[in-house]
Amino acid sequence: MSGSAGIQQGSPAIGAAGSAPAAPGAGGTEGSGATVGSARIAVKKAQLRSSPRPKKLEKLGVYSSCKAEGACKCNSWKSQNPPPTPPRTDQQPNTFNLQDPCRSCSHTLGDHVTHLENVSEEEMNRLLGIALDVEYLNTCVHKEEDADTKQVYFSLFKLLRKCILQMGRPVVEAQESPPFEKPSIEQGVNNFVQYKFSHLPSKERQTIVELAKMFLNQINYWQLETPSQRRQRAPADDAAGYKVNYTRWLCYCNVPQFCDSLPRYETTQIFGRTLLRSVFTVMRKQLLEQARQEKDKLPPEKRTLILTHFPKFLSMLEEEVYSHSSPIWSEEFLAGSSGGPIPIHTGKTHLTFSQLKRKPSEPLPHEETKKLRIVGDIPMELINEVMATITDPASMLGPETSLLSAHSARDEAARLEERRGVIEFHVIGNSLNQKPNKRILMWLVGLQNVFSHQLPRMPKEYITRLVFDPKHKTLSLIKDGRVIGGICFRMFPSQSFTEIVFCAVTSNEQVKGYGTHLMNHLKEYHIKHDILNFLTYADEYAIGYFKKQGFSKDIKVPMAKYLGYIKDYEGATLMGCELNPSIPYTEFSVIIKKQKEIIKKLIERKQAQIRKVYPGLSCFKEGVRQIPIESIPGIRETGWKPVGKGKELKDPDQLYSTLKTILQHVKSHQNAWPFMEPVKKTEAPGYYQVIRFPMDLKTMSERLKSRYYTTRKLFMADMQRIFTNCREYNPPESEYYKCANLLEKFFYTKIKEAGLIEK
C-alpha cells in the first residue's frame, strides 16, 4: 500500500500514516488516524441523515438511474467512472437542484429519484450511508498505489454503486463466505490456553488468559502487508494463497471499519492457522520490539507481564502454530469449558502496550481532563482498597435475603466441580453432512435416555426425533464420560429467539445446582451468538424451575415473530426469558457474593468513623421545640448533607408536567440529535463493552411516560448519564463530545429556570 514500502510485515495498527484505508486526511500517531477518520465519516453520515428530505433526494439522485418515460438508459447523474482526481476533504460539496437537467440524458434530476418518493426514512438513510461510502472508496482508489489493493477498492466501489442503483444490500462476491477456515484463530488460541495451562491455579491461569486476549487484540488490528511486498520479502511462500487471504481481509475486516454499509468481521474469528502462519513470525518480532521500546511507559503491574511472560507465551504458541501434529487446530478438540471462550476487545481504538491500563476513550496521563462522576457512585479507588482487604473467598456475609439466596448458592457446587474437571459442558448436535463422531453419537443416545426417563409424558419417538434432528442442538452435561443432563433447543436467528424443547437432569444427580449451571451456560452460549430471547412451554412441574432461571409469563418477543415457529403443547404454559449481554451468567453468583462482601466492608468502615457517642440533646428541656437537623452533634459525620435550595415537587402531576416540559425543550435543541435513540451496535462496535449503563432521550421519554421519575434527582441522574457516557466513549475533539457539552449547559439552564436547583 502507499507509503508503507518500508514496513516489512504490516504494522500493529490500522490508520497509521501511510496505511490504508485511513479516512481521507487522517494521519498522526499510531492508531489515531483510524479513530479520527472513522469518527469523521460517522459524523458526516449523521449530519446527512438529519438533513431535510429534499436534500437527501438530491444526494441520492446523482447515484440513481433515470426513471423518465421512454428508453432512457442513463444510469446515474454523474459518469460511472470516478473523476480523474479525488476531491479535497476540505472542499465544499457541489449542490444540485431537482429541476436541473441531467448532463447525460437531459431529463431532470427529479426523474432520477421518482422511485424514492415513497421510501421510508430508514431505507433512505441506509442508501445515504452507502453513497458516502462510495465517495470514500472513490478517494481510496485514486490515492492507492498498490495495484492489488486498488483493484479491491474499485471492486467494492462498483459493488456499492450497484446497490444504490438497485436499492439492494451489499454482498461481497467471493468463492466462499466467512469463516474461511476452522477452527478460527480465536478458537485455536483458546484451545491452546486450555491445552497448555488448564492445570494452573485460577489466578495464574487468568494471567495467561490476559496474554491471549492481548495477542488476539493485536491480530484484529494488524495491518497486513500487500501481496507485492510479501513477494519481495518471501518469494518462496505461497503467493497465490496469501493474495486470496489478503483480498478477503480487505473486504471483510479492513474496509468495513470505515465503510459500515459492508458487513464487518473480526480477523481472528473468520481466519484460521493459514493466515496466522503467514504473519506470526514477523508479528512476534515486531510486538516484542515494540514492548522493549515502550517498557518505560508501562505501568509497573504490567511490566513483568509483558516483558517476561508475553515472550514465553509467544514462543510456546509459535510451536503449536507451525507444528503439523498440534491438537489445538483439530475441529474435534474437546476441552472442559471451565475456562470458557476468551472475550475479544472489539473497540475501534487499537491499544499500545503503554495504554493497557486505560480504556480506549480515556485520556492519556498528560491530559488533565476531569471526568464527571454520577451522584452516588463509589470511587473505584475505595472499591479497590476494600477488595484488597477481602482475603477469605469462601466467606458469606450475614443473613441471605430471599432475592439473593436462591441464586447465589444454587450453582456454587456445580461451578466448583466444573473447575476441578469433574463435569463438562458441550453443545452438540447431529449432522447429515459430516462424518459421524462416535463420542457425540453416544452422548446423543445418552441424552435421549435422560429425557425419556425424566419426561415420561413425552413419547420416546418424539424425543428421539428432536434430539437427532440436525436443526436442534443440545447443551449436554457430562460427568465421568457419561451424560447426566442437558437442554435441547432450536435457534431461530432470523426471528431473534431460541426455543427450549427439553430440559432435564437425571434423578440421582438432582439438587446439586446442575440445572441452574446448565441454564447459565446456555445463556452465555446465546449471548455469544447474539440471540437474547428464550421461549419454552413449561408444564406444571417445570414452571418453578424456569421462574428461578429468570423466565416469566410476560413474553417480550412479539407474537408475530414466534407464531408458527415454536411448537405448541397442550396444557403447558408459554414462558420467556430476556438475556442481558452485560451479565456473565456462569459467574453471576460469585459477583453477587463479592459485592456483598464489599458492601459489608464499606459499612464497617463507615461505622468505625461514626462510632463516637455524643451526649443527648438537652435543649428541649429548656423549652426549645425545633432545631435544624445539621445542628445535631455527629449528624454531619454520618455523611448527611442538607438539601439545596432547589425545590422537590411533591405533587406527582406537577412534577410530571415540569419534567415533560424540560425534556421536550432538550429534545428540540439543535445539539440533541446524537442522543435521541439508543446507540446501535452496528454504528459503534464495542460501545456496550465500554459503557455499562447506557441512556438516551427516547428511553427517558418512555420512563417519564410510565411515571418512573418520582423525584427530580432520578430525572437529573439519567440526563447526566447521557452526557457522561458520551464523554467517556468519544474523544474530546469529536462532534459528539461537543454536542454533549452544549446540551448539558442548556439542560441545567432549563432546570434552574424551573426552580428544581438553586440558581
Side-chain angles (χ1 to χ4, degrees), residues 1-11 17-20 144-149 222-239 242-243 246 249-250 278-279 282 286:
M1 284 178 256
S2 62
S4 55
I7 302 176
Q8 290 186 333
Q9 167 73 38
S11 71
S19 62
E144 185 56 56
E145 297 178 1
D146 178 73
D148 295 316
T149 309
W222 195 259
Q223 189 75 22
L224 297 186
E225 62 183 345
T226 65
S228 58
Q229 290 172 332
R230 185 173 178 82
R231 282 194 297 270
Q232 296 175 3
R233 185 180 61 81
D237 286 354
D238 180 13
Y242 179 81
K243 183 177 179 180
Y246 176 77
W249 172 78
L250 276 178
S278 65
V279 303
V282 180
Q286 291 191 17

Side-chain angles (χ1 to χ4, degrees), residues 406-603:
H407 199 346
S408 61
R410 191 179 300 121
D411 62 340
E412 185 76 21
R415 185 170 52 253
L416 292 175
E417 287 190 10
E418 183 184 8
R419 287 177 180 172
R420 293 198 300 265
V422 177
I423 59 175
E424 299 175 359
F425 296 87
H426 301 282
V427 176
I428 61 175
N430 196 15
S431 175
L432 301 179
N433 302 322
Q434 300 178 357
K435 184 179 178 181
N437 182 298
K438 183 178 179 181
R439 177 161 53 169
I440 290 179
L441 289 178
M442 291 296 294
W443 286 348
L444 289 173
V445 172
L447 286 164
Q448 188 268 344
N449 289 332
V450 171
F451 293 145
S452 297
H453 281 91
Q454 299 304 128
L455 306 171
R457 295 186 184 183
M458 286 288 178
K460 291 185 178 181
E461 296 80 6
Y462 178 70
I463 292 175
T464 304
R465 177 161 61 86
L466 293 190
V467 169
F468 284 89
D469 177 20
K471 295 179 181 178
H472 288 72
K473 296 180 181 180
T474 305
L475 174 63
S476 55
L477 170 58
I478 311 298
K479 185 174 184 179
D480 297 330
R482 63 184 182 87
V483 175
I484 65 168
I487 300 177
C488 181
F489 60 94
R490 180 174 178 182
M491 304 169 75
F492 295 96
S494 62
Q495 306 304 111
S496 303
F497 79 91
T498 281
E499 177 192 11
I500 295 178
V501 186
F502 307 125
C503 176
V505 175
T506 187
S507 56
N508 61 335
E509 296 287 356
Q510 292 181 5
V511 201
K512 296 182 179 180
Y514 292 153
T516 296
H517 209 42
L518 256 175
M519 186 62 71
N520 287 339
H521 270 287
L522 187 69
K523 290 175 180 177
E524 292 199 346
Y525 176 83
H526 279 78
I527 288 173
K528 184 179 179 183
H529 289 79
D530 293 324
I531 296 180
L532 302 180
N533 283 285
F534 287 160
L535 291 178
T536 188
Y537 272 97
D539 61 24
E540 55 184 346
Y541 302 106
I543 289 178
Y545 164 78
F546 282 110
K547 279 187 176 179
K548 293 174 183 176
Q549 309 309 319
F551 284 72
S552 167
K553 297 177 185 178
D554 180 18
I555 309 301
K556 302 296 185 183
V557 181
M559 183 179 292
K561 284 204 169 187
Y562 65 81
L563 198 63
Y565 289 87
I566 188 171
K567 291 174 278 294
D568 196 354
Y569 297 94
E570 185 178 351
T573 302
L574 180 62
M575 302 185 73
C577 178
E578 188 175 19
L579 306 183
N580 187 331
S582 301
I583 296 178
Y585 284 95
T586 55
E587 299 295 328
F588 185 64
S589 60
V590 176
I591 294 172
I592 293 295
K593 178 175 155 185
K594 184 67 69 178
Q595 288 176 344
K596 291 177 66 181
E597 292 173 348
I598 292 172
I599 290 172
K600 183 179 179 182
K601 291 290 184 181
L602 290 172
I603 293 173

